[in-house]
Amino acid sequence: LVAAGRDDKYKAVIGDAVEFLKKLQWDDGEGKTEADDYYGGAGYDSKSRPDLSNTQFFLDALKAAGVPPSDPAYKKALVFVSRCQNLKTEANDKPWAGKINDGSFIYTAASGGVTKVVDAPLDDGSLPGYASMTYAGIKSMIYCGLTKKDDRVKKAFEWIQKHYSVDKNAGMPEKRAHWGLYYYYHTMAKSLDTLGVDYVVDDKGVKHDWRKDITEALARRQTTDGSFQNDSANWMEADQNLVTGYALMALSYCRPKSK
């Protein structure tokens, strides 16, 4: 509706939608204080446990609708997003945060912490992060007002540099490497575009043109009828409509920069 550019027709609808979304955010309206691990996050509805995936889309919508950075919803969201990071800071005192301490992000800090890399915490209680959520975390932190100079953003980007890939959802074990692959492409592209970086230099010093890399990776995976389909059915990615949508959204950020 925002992209339609029809304020005369949709401004009120967009405003109502923003207010609806804000009511879905876990805060004092649901009896949650900042000490609660649900606080600031968004789930599938007003009763679902919050997670970083839904929270990033929640923030995408606020940003697209022109909600100003000063809005309290961003400040609340930053509390939740920061707690999803494998990084021990004043913003994250969760017991697992400093065990790996590599800057990666997990699926949710709620309910004691959940990652999709493993089905249960490792023996030491740690929760390994993975790329799609790390890109989601970076983008969400930028939307919430942090800069590239903030240690949380820097550590997350260092993890991305170490695990740069357009062949898999990095951080996942081999048997889960293609889980959410097209979701990953979209989140990766939008995150790097939001960061304003044209290249990612990996931990070996290799410089990657991420726009070119994602475009070529998608071209290799496109079927003869023009659609896309994941070889992994997890997270609904056997649905050609869904993953083709993800692919098109990813490509919208991959147009070569004009010189």
Side-chain angles (χ1 to χ4, degrees):
L1 295 178
V2 172
R6 291 288 305 276
D7 275 4
D8 59 322
K9 187 173 182 180
Y10 298 128
K11 186 175 182 179
V13 177
I14 292 167
D16 289 344
V18 166
E19 292 309 309
F20 173 80
L21 287 175
K22 288 181 182 180
K23 290 177 182 176
L24 299 184
Q25 187 177 33
W26 286 90
D27 54 19
D28 55 342
E30 289 72 38
K32 301 296 184 183
T33 67
E34 195 168 324
D36 195 287
D37 59 12
Y38 277 45
Y39 185 85
Y44 286 101
D45 54 41
S46 60
K47 298 179 177 62
S48 298
R49 178 194 66 184
D51 60 71
L52 182 53
S53 180
N54 277 296
T55 300
Q56 76 146 331
F57 283 121
F58 166 77
L59 291 168
D60 280 346
L62 296 188
K63 178 78 171 176
V67 176
S70 58
D71 194 281
Y74 291 111
K75 184 177 180 181
K76 295 173 189 176
L78 183 58
V79 173
F80 179 80
V81 173
S82 296
R83 287 173 173 164
C84 292
Q85 188 173 24
N86 272 308
L87 193 65
K88 192 74 172 179
T89 65
E90 291 183 358
N92 190 3
D93 60 356
K94 298 304 171 186
W96 47 267
K99 293 184 181 296
I100 297 177
N101 215 46
D102 61 358
S104 65
F105 280 77
I106 63 171
Y107 181 63
T108 183
S111 303
V114 176
T115 182
K116 299 298 183 178
V117 178
V118 290
D119 295 326
L122 301 182
D123 290 343
D124 65 352
S126 60
L127 297 164
Y130 55 110
S132 55
M133 285 301 96
T134 302
Y135 279 116
I138 289 173
K139 175 167 61 68
S140 297
M141 286 183 162
I142 296 294
Y143 284 175
C144 290
L146 300 190
T147 69
K148 290 188 284 187
K149 295 180 179 180
D150 189 281
D151 285 343
R152 286 166 283 182
V153 178
K154 286 168 65 176
K155 286 291 290 185
F157 190 66
E158 286 171 9
W159 189 93
I160 290 299
Q161 291 176 290
K162 186 176 180 180
H163 297 87
Y164 181 87
S165 177
V166 292
D167 297 317
K168 61 184 180 180
N169 192 349
M172 287 288 207
E174 193 59 36
K175 63 182 180 180
R176 300 184 182 186
H178 284 185
W179 284 24
L181 184 64
Y182 288 88
Y183 175 107
Y184 166 66
Y185 287 137
H186 171 232
T187 308
M188 175 186 183
K190 191 166 187 176
S191 176
L192 292 173
D193 183 74
T194 299
L195 271 176
V197 297
D198 294 328
Y199 300 93
V200 176
V201 179
D202 67 25
D203 61 338
K204 297 180 179 61
V206 179
K207 187 177 180 180
H208 298 273
D209 181 341
W210 62 266
R211 294 183 177 87
K212 180 174 181 288
D213 290 349
I214 292 175
T215 301
E216 291 179 350
L218 287 170
R220 289 193 297 270
R221 289 172 169 80
Q222 191 170 27
T223 65
T224 54
D225 69 0
S227 68
F228 296 84
Q229 185 173 359
N230 198 339
D231 55 13
S232 169
N234 294 86
W235 305 339
M236 297 175 66
E237 290 212 352
D239 185 333
Q240 289 173 287
N241 297 298
L242 178 65
V243 296
T244 301
Y246 282 148
L248 290 171
M249 290 192 293
L251 288 170
S252 74
Y253 299 99
C254 293
R255 297 183 181 91
K257 289 290 185 180
S258 57
K259 295 181 180 179

